[in-house]
Each structure stands twice: as structure tokens, then as C-alpha cells.
Amino acid sequence: MENEKMSLENMYRELGISQKVLNFGLKIEEELKERFASIDETAEYNQMKVIKAMQKARVSDIHFAATTGYGYNDLGRDVLEEVYARTFHGEAALVRPQLMSGTHALHVALSGNLRPGDELLSPVGKPYDTLEEVIGIRDSAGSLKEYGIEYRQVDLLSEGSFDYEGIKQAVNERTKLVTIQRSKGYATRPTLSVRQIGELISFVKTLKPDVICMVDNCYGEFVERIEPTDVGADMIVGSLIKNPGGGLAPIGGYLVGRKDCIERASYRLSAPGLGKEVGASLGLNQSFFQGLFLAPTVVAGALKGAIFAANVYEHLGYPVVPDGKEARHDIIQAVTLGSPEAVIAFCQGIQAAAPVDSFVTPEPWDMPGYDAPVVMAAGAFVQGSSIELSADAPIKEPYAVFFQGGLTWYHAKLGILMSLQKLTDKGISLPNVNFF
Ligand SMILES: *Cc1c(COP(=O)(O)O)cnc(C)c1O
């Protein structure tokens, strides 16, 4: 009886994972030991980086106190921004609950630093879906295009490398800001390594030294030991309900980089003349500090989940990006399942493994900012948080699911096992069924 109770297998069975799925998962996990050890080393390094920044900034419990109203002299907010600047090696930071999402933070960075007549260039292809309306690639009220800011794009070459010749032709005297998206987002191109981003920035700066290089750092924070600010980025921008919030930040975005760039962005966020001086932190500072403190280990758990998913689905015969062996530069895993039924079943498995809302069944819906219905699984403590275990799939060809997050590796593992369980329960035929 005691043994029955204590058996992990039994526990998985009670959660709905069959012995066959579990055995398959354990076999895959066994092959990943070395990779997981190297992820833990990166997490250890980044943990020290964060602790060092917190010590240098002399974080103290008074910084966790709430402010209200205008938020003048919000000590905690100012020290939090110093910690972000130190952690990511920038001169200044803007880290606020008033930055409502990653898209908002990127909009503030772009619109704060661009002026009518300027050009914005993306040398890495089409940016993340929600930025299409920010920029005006898809017409939208209030887009940069409406304010007279032109947009140019140079696509990656077919093998995913930079089109240096195309970039050289695109950069001109009006090019003010170059936006570089680190993560693939909902595309199937490879995610860029920080080193590749550094090479691209060096090239752009040889063409035009005063151009502002901004990196959309969403999903990339703490995956490597260096960040784009270590290789010449003038600004990095991201969401606190992804990596750097560590699962604890209930809202927020951040910008880190050159002081003048951050200041211009701050005048856009609040108002000209006000900038960083206003913005009450409303009692959220402790979760921002503590979330950043936990972020390196949370990111490590999410990375292990992504690599596990890649290996599970690759062995089953599905195309996966990145593949099971590749080095990682963000926490996203794409799996091309090839049919609407399969991506929906996958997402339902992720949902069924959640600590919150495990009993609901995700269905596709028309999300604002996206051009096709999206099915999303997220049994999250923070609504829409994608550092928590989550999966999204636009219901369009090639029917790929984008999987990310997991506050702990064990939860990510359960989620992936459950996704496979749902696929087999629904009788979806696995391409490589013999392996299973
Ligand atoms: C998530 C994401 C965004 C937008 O962030 P939201 O918080 O969803 O608005 C932008 N760029 C990339 C690469 C992302 O992954």
C-alpha cells in the first residue's frame, strides 16, 4: 500500500498519463541529461548576475512598499529600474506596470524614438504579428505610418542568414531605427543567437553609426549568458509576463539601454516633461524584484520543457523547430502537427495538465491583433502569461503549434506527456508510430 502510494508512475496514471506515454517520455528524458546539466550551468551564471545587480543597487525591503497617485519619488521603482539596467548591462531602464504588454513596450520604444519622416527598418523579415498594426504594415488607426514614419523590411535569406547586400541597399539617410526580433515568434524561421544579433548590429553600424538598434528581446532573456545589450544593442525590450517576470510579475514591460533612448521612450509612456518621474508602482515592486530573482531558474525549466517537446515530437516523426539537437536562443518550441484536429488536441493536453483551469477545453477564437483564429492553452496564474506553460496555434497552414513556458520543469514535462496522451486518445495517427 505504502509503495503504491509513493510510486511516481501511479501519480502520473492518476493524472491521466498512460504507462505507454510515460515510458516513452522517460526514455526521451534519459537521453537529455547532459543538455539539462548545461542549462543548469547557464541558470547558475544568470542567477549570480541578478544577485550581483541587486546587491550593487542595494535592494532593501523599503523598496517593496507601495506608492499611489503620481508616484513621485517611488524609491522601489527607481531601484528596480537600476537593477534591470545593471542585470542587462544598459545605462538606464524603464520597468513599469503601466507598460501593459510586450507590444505596448515595443510601441513606446518605437514611437518614442521615431519622428515624422524617419524610416524604420527590419533586417530580419516580418516582425511579430501584433507589431504589424503598430508599424502600419496592416493599416491601423494610430500606427507609425499614420505619423509619417516609413517602414522597410529586408527578409532573411532562404537558409535563415542575413541578406547583407539587401540591408546595405535599404539603409539610407532617413533610417533612424533598426528593429531586430530575436525570437521567431509565430514564424518558422530560426531564432537568432545573441552572437548573430551582434554581427548584424556591427554591420548596420558600419553603414550608419548613429542608427538606433533595438532588439525585441521577448522570450530570449536568460536563455544565454549574454544579452543583446552586451553586443551593441542600444535598446532591448520585452514583457514581464514572459521570461524576466519569473512568473510572479502580474503585468508589465521593460526597456533597457542607452539613457537618451530610454528617456525619449519615457516621454511617450507618460507625457513630455514628465518622463520617468511619474508612475506609481501600486505595490507591485516586490513581485517584480522577486520574479526577476527567480527568472533564471524559471527560464531553465521552460527550456528543458522545450527541448523535451522537440525530442518527443521529432521521434514521433513531426517537423520541429528548433530540432531536438540545436542550440537554443529562446524558450519557444514549434511543432508542425499538420491538421487543425491535431493542434487543438495538443493544446487541450497542455490545458488539461495545468494547475489552474485544467477542466476547461480550449477552442479557437479571433484574437485582437492576429490575422487568423488562434487556439490557446493556458492554465495560468497570470492571464495570458507565456512564461507559464502555454501553447498557441494559429488555425492556418502549416498547422504548427507554438509551445512555451513552464514555471517548473516537472510541470512542463507533465504538459508534454499530456499533449501526447490527447493525440493518441483522439486517435490521431502519429507519423512514426513504430517508434512510440
Ligand atoms: C510576445 C511577443 C511580443 C508581444 O508581446 P505581448 O506581450 O504579447 O504584447 C512581441 N514580440 C515577440 C517576439 C513576442 O514573442
Side-chain angles (χ1 to χ4, degrees), residues 101-103 106 128 130 181 216 218-219 239 242:
S101 65
T103 304
L106 287 157
Y128 193 76
T130 59
Q181 184 179 307
D216 173 351
C218 282
Y219 289 129
S239 163
K242 294 180 179 171

Side-chain angles (χ1 to χ4, degrees), residues 77-78 80-85 88 90-99 101 104-109 112-113 235-240 252-271 274-279 288:
R77 176 194 69 205
D78 296 348
L80 177 72
E81 289 179 341
E82 182 185 343
V83 167
Y84 262 75
F88 294 118
E91 292 170 1
L94 191 62
V95 186
R96 302 289 169 115
Q98 288 83 8
L99 290 166
S101 65
H104 185 210
L106 287 157
H107 178 242
V108 163
N113 282 283
M235 251 191 310
I236 56 172
V237 182
S239 163
L240 299 196
Y254 81 89
L255 286 69
V256 172
R258 241 168 60 190
K259 195 160 182 284
D260 62 314
C261 296
I262 300 301
E263 247 165 37
R264 280 190 296 268
S266 76
Y267 294 126
R268 186 67 190 197
L269 174 64
S270 56
L274 301 182
K276 294 177 73 178
E277 304 297 319
V278 293
F288 291 162

